Amino acid sequence: MSDGWTQHGKVRAREFEGALEVEVDGLTTQAKYYKPLIYEFFRKVWRGARPGWGEFAVEIRMEYVGDPPWIDLDNLAKAILDAIKGYAFHDDAQVARLLVERTAGERERIVLAIRKLSDRPMGRPFHP
């Protein structure tokens, strides 16, 4: 039975309970490493949902074993948002909520969850 994951190399993704989940195995101290890795996965392998309009919430969790790696989480977030732009959403300006955290885990990896918050276009007042 399939668990819904599409995998290629160190990256895997699935649509699950209204979210797009992405996992990247392993860690490096170079945030720029993740942008081409994730981008190429979506460009070459991903056949799931297309990018959407509206506002999104993105959670990025870096899980480590032992001592936490020396990496700037803001740089990690920027690299990942750039990589998923055009696949999860059209532009990273659509991200209305962003959580980036470093936490101890059972294995070293990056875990992403991207959820749509609303269909309301950004910058327009809401009128019911």
Side-chain angles (χ1 to χ4, degrees), residues 5 12 17-18 25 27 46 53-54 81 84 87-89 95 98 105 110 112 117 120:
W5 290 100
R12 67 185 195 150
E17 296 182 358
D25 288 332
L27 291 179
W46 182 246
W53 294 104
L81 292 176
I84 63 176
Y87 296 99
F89 38 75
V95 177
L98 177 62
I110 304 291
L112 313 172
L117 293 173
R120 183 168 53 101

Side-chain angles (χ1 to χ4, degrees), residues 16-104:
F16 184 72
E17 296 182 358
L20 172 60
E21 296 180 341
V22 181
E23 293 184 0
V24 181
D25 288 332
L27 291 179
T28 178
T29 58
Q30 298 296 313
K32 63 184 178 183
Y33 165 82
Y34 296 102
K35 182 177 177 179
L37 185 70
I38 296 168
Y39 173 80
E40 287 301 310
F41 167 82
F42 278 103
R43 189 176 75 80
K44 293 180 177 178
V45 180
W46 182 246
R47 298 294 177 254
R50 306 319 307 158
W53 294 104
E55 296 179 327
F56 288 82
V58 178
E59 296 178 16
I60 302 170
R61 186 174 67 244
M62 181 182 72
E63 296 180 1
Y64 63 90
V65 176
D67 292 330
W70 188 261
I71 186 172
D72 291 339
L73 292 180
D74 60 326
N75 292 337
L76 177 66
K78 181 65 177 155
I80 289 173
L81 292 176
D82 284 348
I84 63 176
K85 179 175 58 178
Y87 296 99
F89 38 75
H90 293 282
D91 190 278
D92 53 6
Q94 292 175 258
V95 177
R97 182 179 305 143
L98 177 62
L99 171 66
V100 187
E101 64 182 343
R102 177 177 30 235
T103 184

